[in-house]
Amino acid sequence: MTECAVVPVRRAWPRAAWLITAAGWGANQFSPLLGAYRREMGLSAATVTGLFAIYVVGLVPGLLMGGPGADRYGRRPVVIGAVGLSLLATGALLLGEVGVVWLGVGRFASGFAMGAVLAAGSAWVKELSHPPHDDAVEGTGARRASLFLSAGFGVGGLVAALIAQWAPLDVAYLPHLVLSAVVLVAALRVPETAPAVVAGKRETGIRDPRFRRMVVPVAPWVFAAPATGFAVLPLLVESRLGRGETVFAGVAIAVVLGCGLLIQPVGRQLAARSILLPALIGLAAIGTGMLLGVAAAVTGQPALALVADAALGCGYGLCVTFGLTEIARIAPAGGLARLASVFWALTYIGFCAPYVFALLTEITTPAVILGCAAALAFLTGAGVAVRHRTAS
């Protein structure tokens, strides 16, 4: 009798993790459709850029409210509520061809939902992966959260792009509606894991030297790498893509985030050898990807851009897993979701990479910009290694 009652609890983490996938799918399904919207609705470059940016505008309050809310009220209500909002956001996007304002509403809401899920969802999956809910080894929960997040980002973008290439734009949003509804129903009985709230000052771990010296410098590269891979590199080779730009954008997303997913076992082996090794190899992979991007910019070859995407994706996967694993070690009891919200806010600084790139192209060439980015990634790795060594 007791053994039968335990089984559903021990297997609860996948149902929570699928919620992260659904939110990631909803957040990234719009990105490869920007070109199609620009053509079909005659949107200006400024409007398209604004629609891309408003997602981050929504994400920041989602992070700031989702993390503390999950520590105070529980992981379950925050994550389930956020995925419900993500579903409604997709409903707003479906009305986008009626008026561009609905696209803005949908993007803002999907950003807010993603922000809340990033903080609360990663904490929930981590806690469901360890006793008393599961007996996985340390770090497994962080890798699971990273894997399911990457799957949502990558598959959502690819599926939306493939559908939009040969079907009306509205149809591209239907898979997310179905996925969200299914995972919400499946997650209704997943147990709560948030520690009891203790009155008084709540520590988050943000002042921990390990967080400042190792996590903070690495965090912006988590999304600077994929943002460069699927928002910058496709533009550098679009002259050779013809009518296939939408599909190529989806493939670029899938390559970046697929490699981020597939590199997870390597990240586990690296972490077993050294805490810092996944971050150092990840930053080296990002630097290499930027250098390959230089070659793609010079030659205009789409194949080279995809090879660069693969390297950037590997770097993304290693760096995000490193960050989630470290904050799980650093955060005090009851403060994991708060620290996760700070970490994810730092990662989304990297999402500004396409805008910085666009500004810098006014004064120099794409190849020079990517070359400087590569040098900065390598220098970040060297700096983190030195600071870790002197602190040891």
Side-chain angles (χ1 to χ4, degrees), residues 70-363:
D71 282 338
R72 184 176 182 85
Y73 302 110
R75 284 51 166 135
R76 205 163 76 97
V78 171
V79 177
I80 289 178
V83 174
L85 177 62
S86 177
L87 190 152
L88 294 176
T90 294
L93 292 174
L94 278 168
L95 300 173
E97 292 186 270
V98 176
V100 71
V101 66
W102 287 108
L103 293 178
V105 170
R107 288 292 286 164
F108 180 88
S110 64
F112 188 96
M114 190 71 250
V117 169
L118 282 172
S122 57
W124 200 15
V125 171
K126 181 263 180 185
E127 290 159 354
L128 286 169
S129 297
H130 302 292
H133 306 287
D134 202 350
D135 55 3
V137 299
E138 184 183 5
T140 300
R143 285 189 290 272
R144 288 170 173 172
S146 172
L147 187 151
F148 277 77
L149 174 66
S150 298
F153 279 151
V155 177
L158 177 61
V159 170
L162 291 175
I163 292 175
Q165 184 70 34
W166 293 288
L169 283 174
D170 292 349
V171 180
Y173 296 117
L174 297 183
H176 179 248
L177 295 177
V178 174
L179 174 65
S180 297
V182 170
V183 299
L184 281 170
V185 172
L188 290 177
R189 296 183 64 186
V190 178
E192 181 58 69
T193 61
V197 176
V198 179
K201 185 178 180 180
R202 297 184 181 91
E203 296 293 335
T204 63
I206 194 171
R207 296 183 179 180
D208 190 297
R210 290 172 296 172
F211 184 77
R212 290 186 285 107
R213 291 174 176 174
M214 295 191 292
V215 177
V216 171
V218 174
W221 291 104
V222 167
F223 283 134
T228 300
F230 56 70
V232 172
L233 296 184
L235 296 177
L236 302 180
V237 299
E238 66 179 351
S239 62
R240 301 204 180 191
L241 298 175
R243 297 286 296 176
E245 62 174 346
T246 299
V247 168
F248 186 84
V251 171
I253 291 174
V255 169
V256 171
L257 298 166
C259 288
L261 189 153
L262 294 173
I263 200 70
Q264 299 295 319
V266 176
R268 182 169 59 251
Q269 295 171 7
L270 293 173
R273 295 175 57 187
S274 169
I275 293 173
L276 198 58
L277 205 50
L280 298 181
I281 301 299
L283 290 167
I286 291 172
T288 301
M290 295 294 183
L291 290 177
L292 289 167
V294 171
V298 171
T299 64
Q301 289 292 337
L304 268 177
L306 291 179
V307 175
D309 284 338
L312 292 170
C314 289
Y316 152 79
L318 293 173
C319 287
V320 73
T321 300
F322 164 77
L324 290 174
T325 303
E326 276 303 288
I327 64 171
R329 290 193 182 106
I330 294 168
L336 178 56
R338 277 182 173 80
L339 190 60
S341 68
V342 175
F343 167 71
W344 285 116
L346 291 169
T347 66
Y348 266 89
I349 293 173
F351 231 73
C352 297
Y355 309 110
V356 175
F357 182 90
L359 290 173
L360 292 177
T361 53
E362 298 293 327
I363 59 175

